[in-house]
């Protein structure tokens, strides 16, 4: 066997590990899921892919390009298509979407807890565009993916994605994230590398941090008791502390509400964690 200097061998091993680095969410082609679709594109140039007129996250792994497509909860079962833009024109890549039934929870509560008063409604209308703009914008920035997404806090999953609550027979929007119950003061960490795009104290969400991970992938962390040393424009690393679990906003107890958004669609955070 030919002798290879140690520094060259180390470089080869590092290059190999980088080529294999970078996690991928679980493929789940249901409303609220993520479709992981291999693209025919070759080479190093990033592909441009759209779903329902919105740009889609793309990443390369082991020489192959993949699209991570966020599937809105409002979609119905059936066949859908991505649009892959090439020098020869737009090409459609079809995929099938299956149905999924999420849980429902019926609750009877005092009406004041269901319908905000006019002053609260005015505040909500002012805050909502700021939050949605931070969560739903496509920024053509690429951040290195870690080998595994960091679970933002440790605790019991107290409410899963997609749960639809019905208060006093009035349906509410499905739960757009994952609730992780933990004691007040428990560390909250950024799930991935990215940039802080919103920090605020909102009516529903309480103290909140939103991190943009590039290409339409964002994460939201809310009901925090404290926001720790981060402000809009700061770059953060996967696993970096950004806050602490709390019960701010409209909640009944301390927990972290964690939302993952892809191409403007709220998707199931569980798909990004180890099974």
């Amino acid at each position: 066997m030919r002798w290879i200097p140690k520094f060259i061998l180390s470089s080869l091993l590092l290059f190999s590990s980088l080529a294999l680095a970078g996690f991928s969410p679980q493929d789940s082609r249901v409303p609220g899921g993520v479709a992981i679709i291999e693209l025919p594109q070759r080479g190093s140039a990033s592909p441009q892919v759209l779903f329902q007129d919105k740009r889609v996250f793309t990443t390369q792994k082991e020489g192959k390009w993949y699209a991570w497509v966020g599937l809105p909860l409002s979609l119905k079962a059936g066949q859908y298509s991505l649009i892959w833009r090439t020098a020869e024109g737009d090409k459609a890549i079809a995929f099938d979407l299956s149905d999924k039934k999420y849980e429902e929870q019926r609750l009877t509560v005092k009406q004041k807890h269901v319908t905000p008063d006019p002053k609260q409604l005015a505040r909500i209308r002012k805050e909502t565009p700021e939050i949605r703009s931070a969560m739903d914008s496509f920024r053509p920035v690429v951040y290195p993916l870690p080998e595994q997404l960091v679970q933002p806090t440790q605790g019991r999953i107290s409410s899963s994605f997609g749960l639809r609550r019905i208060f006093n027979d009035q349906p509410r929007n499905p739960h757009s994230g994952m609730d992780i119950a933990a004691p007040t003061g428990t560390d909250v960490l950024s799930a991935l590398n990215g940039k802080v795009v919103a920090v605020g104290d909102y009516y529903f969400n309480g103290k909140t941090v939103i991190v943009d991970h590039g290409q339409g992938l964002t994460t939201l962390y809310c009901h925090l008791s404290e926001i720790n040393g981060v402000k809009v424009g700061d770059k953060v690393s996967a696993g970096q502390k950004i806050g602490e679990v709390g019960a701010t906003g409209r909640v009944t107890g301390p927990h972290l509400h964690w939302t993952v958004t892809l191409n403007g669609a709220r998707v199931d955070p569980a798909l990004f964690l180890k099974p």
Side-chain angles (χ1 to χ4, degrees):
M1 179 179 176
R2 184 182 174 186
W3 177 76
I4 302 175
K6 282 187 177 180
F7 76 92
I8 294 179
L9 182 58
S10 298
S11 298
L12 289 171
L13 290 172
L14 176 61
F15 177 82
S16 175
S17 66
L18 286 172
L20 295 172
F23 85 105
S24 177
Q26 300 170 52
D27 182 77
S28 179
R29 301 181 187 188
V30 299
V34 180
I36 309 299
I37 298 178
E38 184 179 345
L39 303 170
Q41 181 148 328
R42 296 295 177 259
S44 58
S46 298
Q48 188 174 133
V49 182
L50 296 94
F51 180 65
Q52 297 189 326
D53 298 323
K54 294 183 178 180
R55 287 282 298 275
V56 167
F57 185 99
T58 60
T59 186
Q60 191 177 36
K61 188 172 184 179
E62 300 177 13
K64 297 179 181 179
W65 283 100
Y66 296 89
W68 296 2
V69 187
L71 304 169
L73 272 167
S74 59
L75 293 182
K76 305 298 182 184
Q79 188 174 83
Y80 293 84
S81 293
L82 296 181
I83 299 300
W84 172 44
R85 293 208 156 146
T86 75
E88 293 78 34
D90 291 353
K91 299 183 179 180
I93 301 175
F95 66 95
D96 291 324
L97 185 75
S98 300
D99 195 15
K100 180 172 181 176
K101 180 71 171 177
Y102 290 95
E103 291 184 16
E104 289 187 353
Q105 183 180 43
R106 292 182 174 270
L107 300 169
T108 301
V109 298
K110 292 182 179 179
Q111 194 62 31
K112 68 178 182 179
H113 297 308
V114 178
T115 305
D117 63 34
K119 185 177 179 180
Q120 293 166 336
L121 281 172
R123 180 183 172 188
I124 293 164
R125 291 191 183 106
K126 181 181 177 181
E127 294 172 348
T128 299
E130 177 184 341
I131 296 168
R132 288 184 177 171
S133 175
M135 295 173 70
D136 296 345
S137 296
F138 184 97
R139 299 170 179 88
V141 181
V142 177
Y143 293 98
L145 289 170
E147 293 186 7
Q148 183 60 46
L149 176 143
V150 176
Q151 182 169 318
T153 199
Q154 297 301 313
R156 175 180 60 85
I157 296 175
S158 55
S159 182
S160 298
F161 175 85
L163 173 69
R164 183 183 289 274
R165 288 194 172 101
I166 301 173
F167 291 104
N168 303 344
D169 294 324
Q170 299 177 34
R172 289 296 185 258
N173 290 331
H175 193 223
S176 63
M178 172 188 287
D179 287 350
I180 304 175
T184 297
T186 304
D187 288 353
V188 174
L189 315 175
S190 177
L192 294 164
N193 301 315
K195 181 179 180 180
V196 177
V197 289
V199 173
D201 190 348
Y202 305 110
Y203 174 74
F204 283 117
N205 295 349
K207 293 181 179 179
T208 299
V209 175
I210 301 174
V211 181
D212 186 292
H213 309 291
Q215 302 190 84
L217 172 59
T218 65
T219 51
L220 171 144
Y221 313 80
C222 63
H223 307 312
L224 305 175
S225 60
E226 299 291 341
I227 295 170
N228 293 95
V230 294
K231 60 185 184 301
V232 172
D234 286 352
K235 289 185 177 179
V236 293
S237 302
Q240 179 178 331
K241 183 176 178 179
I242 58 174
E244 297 175 8
V245 171
T248 57
R250 200 169 79 162
V251 294
T252 57
H255 70 277
L256 172 68
H257 174 93
W258 174 41
T259 293
V260 178
T261 299
L262 264 175
N263 49 271
R266 312 295 177 248
V267 296
D268 189 352
L271 299 174
F272 291 75
L273 300 174
K274 287 184 177 179

